[in-house]
Amino acid sequence: MIFGNNLFSIEELNHAEKAALEWLKIAHYKTGEIGFAHHKNLYYPSFLAWHKNYPETSGYIIENFLFYNNTKDNEEVRIARNTVEWLCNNHNGQGSFYRSTKKNELSSFNTAQILFGFWNAYLYFKDEKYIENYKLSNQFLLKQILPDGKWSTGLYVENYFPAYYTRAIWPMLLNIDSLSSDDILKIESSINYLFKLKNLKFFNDSGFFKEGNSLSHTVAYTLEGFYESAKILQRQDILDHVLKCMEYICDDTEEKKYLAGEFSNQLKQTASFQCMTGNFQIASLLLKIHNQNYNLRFFKIAEHLLAEGLKTQFKSNSKETNGGFPASLPIYGKYFPFKMVNWTNKFFLDACYQYKLSFKIN
């Protein structure tokens, strides 16, 4: 094992976690308190730096403000409620959302990510409006599933249903007790369709585009989506393959001492830049698996990724920058160069939660 103990203290992690949450609060206020700004440009003046609110990631950030990183602050609960109320009024009336802030094209994947927000808001507030919106959006998604399990419309690339859409299937199963047996079979047909993309070490077609490599961001989407869906559906065959994939990621990370921003479909690192979003997602998933199965190797690799990620967090006198992370390292890397995107902070907060949870469980 190449990584040692005590890479950072809990006090350091708590401080970084608080700063990351505060940056997301700024990203919320910059939208007029409706959702979270998609990103901030690092070198633009403030009045030009902040992009519009982004429904997809705003949806899955809600859980951080209500459950994962909540400090029992009324401000955090209010921000979560502002966001879910905005989302309730932002779909097209049939439960579907758009793929960008321009509202010009429906997105099934983005709609699925917002399910996390509706579901967690319902669990916290017990407001029937939120579960009704969850069900409405879920019904839209169910209608996209063809007899073979492939999704028909609202795809990022037309006729391309890649493996990372497991991250869209997972939230469809959160309220499984309310689903009919036919609906569960439809969802499982999609999981089966995507599981056929597996190869010896990973999955084919796990990137945003059919040709080329996959960002660590979509590698993590793929693996976490399979992992969580398989747990709900009790699919040991899928869980076994995911765990094998995670071992390969650990092998490469131990050898290179960092996680590349892109991978081949055989999980070979193919880039020199790092995608900080993907780093935190992989760290969070490793910790999640460790917390459920006790895997000390996964814990150590995740701890290393988290320690390296902590070094990249901006420390600034400006509240608009302090606590954020570059999307890429170096900052001119391929993934949103010279920008801080809100979901990097989200996945860092997930990793913080899972890391601290490990000390309570093990």
Side-chain angles (χ1 to χ4, degrees), residues 215-217 253 256-262 269 271-280 304-305 308-309 312 326-336:
L215 288 163
S216 59
H217 176 46
T253 306
K256 296 182 172 63
K257 301 185 182 181
Y258 75 96
L259 190 71
E262 285 187 334
Q269 299 189 33
S272 58
F273 82 95
Q274 296 180 64
C275 168
M276 297 312 300
T277 308
N279 280 19
F280 292 135
H304 172 77
L305 291 175
E308 293 301 301
T312 72
S328 285
L329 189 70
I331 59 173
Y332 53 81
K334 183 176 180 179
Y335 188 67
F336 288 97

Side-chain angles (χ1 to χ4, degrees), residues 292-314:
Q292 293 165 357
N293 300 292
Y294 189 75
N295 186 316
L296 186 58
R297 186 191 192 207
F298 284 11
F299 177 84
K300 289 294 186 182
I301 299 292
E303 188 177 47
H304 172 77
L305 291 175
L306 200 48
E308 293 301 301
L310 284 169
K311 297 174 185 177
T312 72
Q313 188 178 39
F314 290 111

Side-chain angles (χ1 to χ4, degrees), residues 99 106-110 140 144 151-157 165:
R99 66 180 290 179
L106 293 178
S107 170
S108 293
F109 186 87
N110 291 16
F140 165 79
Q144 311 314 311
W151 290 18
S152 59
T153 58
L155 300 173
Y156 186 65
V157 174
Y165 269 66

Side-chain angles (χ1 to χ4, degrees), residues 145 148-151 161 163 165-170 173 184-197 203 222 225-230 233 235 237-238:
I145 301 176
D148 64 354
K150 185 177 179 180
W151 290 18
F161 184 49
Y165 269 66
T166 57
R167 169 79 190 195
I169 293 169
W170 165 26
L173 293 165
I184 294 171
L185 287 173
K186 287 183 75 173
I187 295 171
E188 191 156 16
S189 74
S190 289
I191 281 286
N192 291 335
Y193 182 97
L194 295 176
F195 193 53
K196 290 176 183 177
L197 296 174
F203 294 90
T222 299
F226 270 124
Y227 181 75
E228 292 291 352
S229 299
L233 296 169
R235 291 287 300 273
D237 56 334
I238 296 176

Side-chain angles (χ1 to χ4, degrees), residues 4 55 71 76 293:
T71 61
E76 291 161 17
N293 300 292

